[in-house]
Amino acid sequence: MAKRVAVIGAGSSGLTSIKCCLDEGLEPVCFESSDDVGGLWKFKEKPEAGRCSIYRSVIVNSPKEMMCYSDFPVPDHYPNFMHNSMTVQYFKLYAEHFSLLKHIHFQTTVRSVRQRPDFSDSGQWEVVTVDRDGREETHVFDGVLVCAGLYTQPIIPLSDFPGIDTFPGTIIHSWEYKDPCPYLGKRVVVIGIGNSGGDIAVELSRACEKTFLSTRKGAWVIGRVVDRGLPLDMTMMTRARDLFYGLLPRALLNWIWERSLNQRHDHKLYGLQSAHRILDQRTIINDNLPGRILVGELVMKSNVQKFQGSTVVFDDGTVEEKIDAVIFCTGYDYKFPFLPASLSSGSDGDVRLYRRVFPPSLERPTLAIMGLLQTKGSIMPAVELQARWATRVIAGLNHLPPAEKMDKIIEKDIKANLKSYPCPKLAALQVDYIPYLDTIAKDVGICPNIAWLLLRDPAVGLRVFFGPCTPYQFRLSGPGHWKGARQAILTQWDRVAKPMKTRPIPEPSSFSLFFWLGLSGGAAVIFALMAMQKKIPLFLNID
Ligand code: FAD
């Protein structure tokens, strides 16, 4: 009989986990507390406690070719960077294509997940759920995949802001922000310059009388598009680049990157200057921030020192009066209240995980946590690989090393990140994109063998090595191999171009192209012969 696996959540991580269960012969039962798939990408007018929540205008920062599931490219006509509604549409297409919906119990919340008394033998879990009518049910599962998301617990560090209790205006977290309508004509301070802080400040600056963006440490700002208007990740996330940059000293790389970003817009001049070197922390992605600063509608400010009623005093001594609202874009914490407390092993209530997936303390590796990571690339393909690995471990097809070895690897990973992220909980989340994907892929046996590919199928090999590290690379061979992967790699740039081909532009006719090529080639030969005419007899050994 197939092993039964509980999948908690039907966001992008939950959907791929259901599919991976099916691929490995497991029987998935997914519990989703909302009434739809898509998780945080499904926009809701009002935030709900304990659930993720986004603003109306959110657009994915990862290009479609880099964020798609490895055996299901985003339709070619979809834009390269999708609005949240389209992202959900894509997830629905995936769910329908692989018949995943029938495995999902909507409006059913997981209340608790506990090891059964015979766990050390059976590896089984007792899962308690509550459905839409408040009916509680207890189920037994052979495995659990936690796909409950990270962005559920907004952090508002009110105690860091003396006098905040005297502020008469609105105070919210970005988790509650939906659109700029309530702030029309107002004076707003946005605190924090992560991706959300940048997006929200830009959006508000078009509606507010004035928008102030306050930051303690600044940030490196990079656009979604780079040279020739191509998507950032598709040009940057390549194996060749990783290999080449790996050979260069980090200080030199920092210098090159910072110089290149400062040439687009001088971060010091724009008040964005970061306290960190560019490679030490995540950059923020924003196409419009410098433009809004340039027109004066968005004003960069230092850290808020204190509030005095509706007056805000900043660290540099400057004062802004008559502030109507403060929006904290100060990030999130994560919590899995349904898991046993024993799994939260870190000092800060964090869950320590081997390769960011398995708690090493479990006697049997039958519970895995999906998507608990941060990286400079797209999260979705990383989670898909996690799910492919975790389902194989639960199915008994892959095995984990002994607990002591896993602990050592966890410690080593955290230590490597502590320099950039002094908070151990944050440090534990960071992974380098391609190396992380490859580490998991090697365990599953699906990491592309570049040398072999270059010999056997150079067209694909060259694209895998020099081109973007698209998820299809992990479907070329091994378990879960997909016949369409080769073609998907060969056509990945066509799908980038397709949505932009909205205005026919005539190609130069082949006659005129050949004519000019022929003419210039001929002229070059005549010119070379004339220049060498004295040497030719000598060269040809003619008297
Ligand atoms: P979620 O989408 O949060 O889904 C979790 C699901 O679990 C929800 O549907 C929830 O209802 C359900 N759930 C939770 N608890 C329970 C329970 N107890 N019982 C039953 N159901 C439960 N990543 C990128 O790669 N690229 C981007 O451009 C990008 N942009 C982002 C922008 C914003 C504003 C945010 C907040 C995040 C962004 N991310 C981005 C990261 C994003 O979180 C992940 O990429 C990914 O979509 C997370 O999917 P998930 O399924 O793990 O979690």
Side-chain angles (χ1 to χ4, degrees):
M1 214 170 76
K3 286 186 177 175
R4 295 179 78 231
V5 176
V7 176
I8 306 174
S12 59
S13 307
L15 291 177
T16 194
S17 295
I18 301 172
K19 170 163 186 294
C20 292
C21 284
L22 295 169
D23 288 349
E24 297 304 340
L26 304 168
E27 186 191 325
V29 179
C30 176
F31 302 110
E32 166 55 54
S33 51
S34 76
D35 57 2
D36 207 348
V37 300
L40 73 82
W41 297 102
K42 176 89 191 170
F43 174 79
K44 295 203 180 75
E45 294 289 343
K46 285 211 167 75
E48 294 162 38
R51 298 227 183 117
C52 40
S53 162
I54 52 167
Y55 34 100
R56 198 183 300 279
S57 61
V58 170
I59 288 177
V60 181
N61 283 333
S62 315
K64 64 177 182 179
E65 287 298 305
M66 300 296 279
M67 62 151 277
C68 63
Y69 296 112
S70 57
D71 50 1
F72 193 72
V74 176
D76 57 0
H77 63 283
Y78 277 35
N80 282 286
F81 294 95
M82 296 184 281
H83 181 257
N84 57 74
S85 54
M86 218 154 197
T87 309
V88 173
Q89 203 50 46
Y90 167 67
F91 293 146
K92 283 189 173 164
L93 290 177
Y94 177 76
E96 279 158 21
H97 182 79
F98 291 109
S99 307
L100 308 179
L101 294 173
K102 61 182 180 218
H103 301 282
I104 306 173
H105 298 258
F106 288 106
Q107 295 182 300
T108 307
T109 300
V110 170
R111 277 282 154 82
S112 85
V113 175
R114 296 286 177 270
Q115 285 144 276
R116 297 202 80 208
D118 63 349
F119 181 79
S120 50
D121 283 334
S122 67
Q124 285 184 326
W125 297 87
E126 217 163 76
V127 175
V128 178
T129 58
V130 182
D131 70 11
R132 71 199 79 176
D133 305 316
R135 267 196 306 265
E136 211 175 86
E137 212 177 322
T138 303
H139 319 252
V140 173
F141 286 103
D142 301 297
V144 176
L145 297 174
V146 180
C147 309
L150 288 192
Y151 301 97
T152 51
Q153 317 290 326
I155 299 174
I156 303 199
L158 290 181
S159 57
D160 291 354
F161 297 92
I164 187 87
D165 47 325
T166 66
F167 181 69
T170 320
I171 300 174
I172 61 161
H173 187 273
S174 57
W175 177 79
E176 292 163 81
Y177 175 86
K178 291 295 160 185
D179 55 41
C181 297
Y183 307 98
L184 217 62
K186 304 248 164 93
R187 289 165 61 79
V188 179
V189 173
V190 176
I191 296 181
I193 191 176
N195 282 325
S196 299
D199 273 359
I200 292 173
V202 162
E203 185 164 87
L204 285 173
S205 72
R206 297 202 170 94
C208 290
E209 183 204 302
K210 205 64 138 185
T211 306
F212 304 95
L213 176 52
S214 158
T215 165
R216 260 184 314 171
K217 295 189 174 155
W220 291 101
V221 182
I222 194 160
R224 282 192 180 90
V225 289
V226 284
D227 302 343
R228 294 177 55 227
L230 298 176
L232 170 75
D233 287 17
M234 294 215 40
T235 21
M236 306 304 288
M237 301 285 178
T238 74
R239 292 173 183 281
R241 259 181 198 263
D242 257 26
L243 189 73
F244 176 63
Y245 288 155
L247 302 174
L248 299 179
R250 198 172 167 89
L252 176 63
L253 278 176
N254 272 321
W255 181 81
I256 294 172
W257 280 115
E258 289 169 6
R259 192 166 179 278
S260 130
L261 281 192
N262 277 332
Q263 269 174 350
R264 286 181 149 223
H265 47 264
D266 184 337
H267 280 59
K268 195 169 170 197
L269 182 67
Y270 278 69
L272 292 163
Q273 177 101 337
S274 171
H276 298 281
R277 302 305 306 266
I278 192 164
L279 294 177
D280 287 350
Q281 292 233 336
R282 289 194 308 154
T283 48
I284 76 155
I285 299 189
N286 199 301
D287 296 308
N288 304 310
L289 191 59
R292 302 308 297 161
I293 296 172
L294 203 59
V295 297
E297 288 177 356
L298 175 54
V299 179
M300 293 304 301
K301 301 296 285 183
S302 55
N303 189 37
V304 171
Q305 189 194 80
K306 59 180 173 186
F307 287 84
Q308 288 171 335
S310 62
T311 299
V312 181
V313 182
F314 296 89
D315 271 354
D316 58 0
T318 56
V319 170
E320 293 299 340
E321 291 172 340
K322 295 188 184 150
I323 297 299
D324 299 293
V326 178
I327 303 182
F328 281 91
C329 299
T330 35
Y332 292 87
D333 200 356
Y334 63 85
K335 245 189 208 159
F336 303 114
F338 47 83
L339 287 184
S342 58
L343 291 186
S344 306
S345 52
S347 51
D348 209 6
D350 50 329
V351 188
R352 294 203 158 194
L353 300 170
Y354 173 62
R355 305 278 186 230
R356 309 266 11 100
V357 176
F358 285 101
S361 55
L362 289 176
E363 283 167 280
R364 304 287 300 268
T366 52
L367 180 139
I369 299 189
M370 305 286 110
L372 194 54
L373 81 162
Q374 288 183 341
T375 178
K376 286 184 176 154
S378 173
I379 304 287
M380 291 85 163
V383 174
E384 188 190 27
L385 279 174
Q386 290 183 333
R388 288 174 74 182
W389 181 45
T391 46
R392 288 181 64 78
V393 171
I394 292 172
L397 299 166
N398 280 100
H399 303 282
L400 301 185
E404 311 82 67
K405 190 163 177 206
M406 291 196 271
D407 279 330
K408 271 193 192 140
I409 292 175
I410 294 172
E411 279 306 319
K412 196 169 143 238
D413 289 349
I414 294 179
K415 221 168 163 185
N417 290 332
L418 274 176
K419 192 171 153 266
S420 305
Y421 299 87
C423 161
K425 194 169 181 177
L426 264 186
L429 292 181
Q430 314 304 318
V431 298
D432 288 334
Y433 192 61
I434 299 179
Y436 180 74
L437 300 185
D438 280 351
T439 306
I440 305 272
K442 273 179 198 147
D443 271 7
V444 183
I446 51 175
C447 193
N449 181 337
I450 311 285
W452 176 239
L453 269 176
L454 285 169
L455 281 173
R456 224 196 64 204
D457 191 351
V460 170
L462 287 170
R463 283 170 174 84
V464 168
F465 186 61
F466 289 106
C469 183
T470 44
Y472 323 118
Q473 297 192 1
F474 301 102
R475 290 279 177 189
L476 285 168
S477 59
H481 152 252
W482 173 48
K483 275 208 302 275
R486 180 178 190 276
Q487 191 58 16
I489 291 172
L490 294 177
T491 52
Q492 56 202 12
W493 284 105
D494 298 342
R495 284 187 297 282
V496 172
K498 173 81 181 184
M500 289 190 280
K501 292 195 168 167
T502 50
R503 176 178 160 247
I505 297 179
E507 297 287 341
S509 82
S510 53
F511 165 74
S512 64
L513 189 70
F514 283 125
F515 176 78
W516 287 111
L517 276 177
L519 197 66
S520 43
V525 169
I526 291 167
F527 182 76
L529 285 175
M530 282 164 63
M532 294 173 69
Q533 63 181 328
K534 283 192 184 142
K535 292 184 184 164
I536 286 173
L538 191 71
F539 177 70
L540 294 176
N541 215 4
I542 298 169
D543 291 324

